Each structure stands twice: as C-alpha cells, then as structure tokens.
Amino acid sequence: MHVLNSESAKDRSRWVAPANGNAIPQIALAARSGAPSIDHLDALEAQSIYILREAFARLKKLALLWSLGKDSNVMIWLARKAFLGRVPFPALHVDTGKKFPEMYAFRDRYGKEWELDLRVEPCPPIETIDPTLPPAARSAARKTEGLKLALAKFGFDGLIAGIRRDEEATRAKERVFSPRGTEGGWDVRDQPPEFWDQFNASPPPGAHLRIHPILHWTEADIWAYTKRENIPIIPLYLAKDGKRYRSLGDADITFPVASAAANIEEILAELEATKVPERSGRALDHETEDAFERLRVAGYL
C-alpha cells in the first residue's frame, strides 16, 4: 500500500494481457467469511476489465469520473490494467473546490505519476442550485450541475463511474451500462435487462451512458484489492486520534467515524465486525429520506 505522505515508489502493477474472447466467469454470490480470497479478487478484476474494454470498444467518446476516493482509484488501476498501463480516455474531476487538502495533493501527484489526461471542471456556485433541497443535498447537487456543464463542453457519450451497489439503497437499483436522459437524468423504471454479461451500449440520441465497472464489488473487496495491488491511498482513510474517514466527499459535509484501524488489515477486520453504514459520515445521507433519490434522478453519481 502506498500512502500519500510515504516515500515514493514505482507502481508494482501486474498488467494483464487482453482476454481471448468475451467469456468472463460470473462472480459467485455465495456468502463468504473473512477477507475476500485471491480467487474472488481475480474474478472481480476480470469482470471489471471486461466491462471497461466493452465500453471502450462500443462507445465513441469516453471519460472516467475521478472523485479521488478509494473506489475511483481502484477503477483507474483497473483501467490501467485493461489497457496495458495507460488510461486511453480522460480522467474527469468535477471539482466543487471543497475537497480535503489531502485529496487535492493526491490528485496532483498521481494524476502525473499515472500519466492521466486529467480534466478538472468546476461546479457552479451554490446560489444557482435548487433551494428546496436540504443543505447537504444542495451542496452535493453542485456536482450534478458541474457534470452537465462538462458533458456539454466535451460531448462525452459514456461516463465511467465508481459506484457500488452495496453503498446505498438507490445505487443498488443500477445497471452496469445505465442510460441517462438528454439532461443527464436517471429513470429507475426504465432500466435495461443485463443477462449473461450482455450490455446495451447504445445511448439514446443526445444522451449518454454511465458505465459502472465496480458495481458488483463491496467495500471489503475494494480494501482487499487495494492491499493486494499496493494501490496508493489518501491518509484520511487511516485512523488518527481514534477517528478515520470511510467515505470521502466535500470537507464541510463529510465527517470521520470512530475507528482504531491504522492499516488495511485492521480496516478489513473492522468491516467484519461493524454494522455502521459506509456513508454514515456523509451529511447527505442523514437528511430527508428522498434527498439522495432526488439527486440520483437528476443525474447525481
């Protein structure tokens, strides 16, 4: 594991050659105990790489949304493996200007080290956002509007996003290839079926697809893979003075949780024992019941 404030080292990545054919084994859904196994992580990795290559082959203009957190860092790592060490599409950071300093330092360092085509697009001011939203949701909605502006500017027909089904109930309803309306909206009642890894990769005219390569991963999977691959992390994820961040967002609406986990092994042990939701430190998730769903319908990640 690299930590941002540790000594720099070259990535010890194990690039994988393109798979022969499209037959990727399905991920076993059986319950398991303990940290994810090597075989399980290999299967997750293969599935995600297959999804990334499908998106690249079938869409004309892709971007990967980089939120700087653990999930999108894993996603960039997978993209580098999928395409032999280089990400062949832009990494787009829709920036609220309110992230933690450690997150900006991480972006500046690893954007260069990973040789990303980094595009940083600002979000509109809070005064332009729907005033009927609760305070944290209104702040988060700036990202939705910033993303719409970036889509209009660059004309992307596919956006790769690092969401997971186990994070939040509304995200559990997502598809791997998820169509969005011309305004970026998401209709949960109009989701394409996805059987046997057959994806609908044709966005409606004037619209785009969201592609979710790690939708089938869990929080424990992310940490076990990060440890195995020695992926850099932001130090805020590790406990300091009895607290750490499980999920990172804007500094003014994201809070740490009680924790003594000072390394990834301890994080995995903590996840085995806790019943506290991953997003418990996000103010957004403690507002009105429909706040998050309203954001998602409007195009929030």
Side-chain angles (χ1 to χ4, degrees), residues 135-158:
R138 190 181 184 200
S139 182
R142 293 178 62 222
K143 286 177 63 178
T144 304
E145 298 307 313
L147 184 56
K148 290 178 182 178
L149 293 173
L151 280 165
K153 178 178 179 179
F154 296 110
F156 297 122
D157 61 352

Side-chain angles (χ1 to χ4, degrees), residues 155-220:
F156 297 122
D157 61 352
L159 292 174
I160 301 168
I163 69 167
R164 306 189 327 267
R165 286 194 176 108
D166 72 324
E167 285 181 281
E168 194 276 333
T170 305
R171 286 175 171 169
K173 303 172 185 176
E174 271 285 11
R175 297 291 189 266
V176 174
F177 281 69
S178 180
R180 293 305 200 262
T182 54
E183 294 297 317
W186 176 61
D187 187 352
V188 68
R189 297 163 298 182
D190 185 23
Q191 294 286 288
E194 292 183 335
F195 300 121
W196 307 291
D197 286 345
Q198 300 301 305
F199 303 120
N200 179 0
S202 300
H208 72 278
L209 291 178
R210 300 278 174 89
I211 301 97
H212 305 127
I214 60 170
L215 192 63
H216 49 294
W217 294 49
T218 68
E219 185 181 5

Side-chain angles (χ1 to χ4, degrees), residues 61-270:
K61 199 167 186 182
L62 275 176
L64 185 151
L65 294 169
W66 192 22
S67 67
L68 315 177
K70 63 186 187 300
D71 300 304
S72 62
N73 292 335
V74 163
M75 198 168 61
I76 285 180
W77 198 265
L78 290 164
R80 294 172 74 210
K81 282 197 168 190
F83 302 105
L84 305 180
R86 295 293 298 272
V87 179
F89 31 75
L92 176 64
H93 179 211
V94 181
D95 187 12
T96 61
K98 296 165 66 177
K99 301 298 182 186
F100 293 92
E102 294 89 341
M103 297 176 74
Y104 289 120
F106 189 97
R107 182 190 73 186
D108 294 345
R109 173 177 172 179
Y110 286 101
K112 292 178 181 177
E113 286 197 19
W114 290 339
E115 299 181 306
L116 301 177
D117 176 9
L118 178 61
R119 315 273 180 96
V120 179
E121 292 298 313
C123 297
I126 191 70
E127 293 77 20
T128 65
I129 306 301
D130 183 358
T132 69
L133 286 167
R138 190 181 184 200
S139 182
R142 293 178 62 222
K143 286 177 63 178
T144 304
E145 298 307 313
L147 184 56
K148 290 178 182 178
L149 293 173
L151 280 165
K153 178 178 179 179
F154 296 110
F156 297 122
D157 61 352
L159 292 174
I160 301 168
I163 69 167
R164 306 189 327 267
R165 286 194 176 108
D166 72 324
E167 285 181 281
E168 194 276 333
T170 305
R171 286 175 171 169
K173 303 172 185 176
E174 271 285 11
R175 297 291 189 266
V176 174
F177 281 69
S178 180
R180 293 305 200 262
T182 54
E183 294 297 317
W186 176 61
D187 187 352
V188 68
R189 297 163 298 182
D190 185 23
Q191 294 286 288
E194 292 183 335
F195 300 121
W196 307 291
D197 286 345
Q198 300 301 305
F199 303 120
N200 179 0
S202 300
H208 72 278
L209 291 178
R210 300 278 174 89
I211 301 97
H212 305 127
I214 60 170
L215 192 63
H216 49 294
W217 294 49
T218 68
E219 185 181 5
D221 294 330
I222 292 292
W223 281 119
Y225 188 76
T226 296
K227 179 179 182 296
R228 187 185 87 169
E229 299 290 310
N230 199 30
I231 300 174
I233 67 170
I234 294 171
L236 295 170
Y237 284 119
L238 304 179
K240 183 180 180 181
D241 299 326
K243 293 184 177 180
R244 73 176 185 89
Y245 290 86
R246 281 178 70 185
S247 179
L248 291 176
D250 285 355
D252 61 337
I253 56 173
T254 309
F255 306 98
V257 299
S259 173
N263 55 53
I264 292 181
E265 291 89 345
E266 292 174 359
I267 288 174
L268 287 166
E270 183 178 86

Side-chain angles (χ1 to χ4, degrees), residues 25-76:
Q26 290 294 307
I27 307 304
L29 298 180
R32 60 189 186 279
S33 61
S37 68
I38 295 297
D39 288 346
H40 175 71
L41 293 177
D42 284 341
L44 287 172
E45 179 186 77
Q47 181 82 340
S48 297
I49 286 174
Y50 168 61
I51 291 165
L52 286 163
R53 288 175 177 160
E54 281 289 290
F56 184 66
R58 297 169 67 178
L59 292 165
K60 295 178 181 178
K61 199 167 186 182
L62 275 176
L64 185 151
L65 294 169
W66 192 22
S67 67
L68 315 177
K70 63 186 187 300
D71 300 304
S72 62
N73 292 335
V74 163
M75 198 168 61
I76 285 180

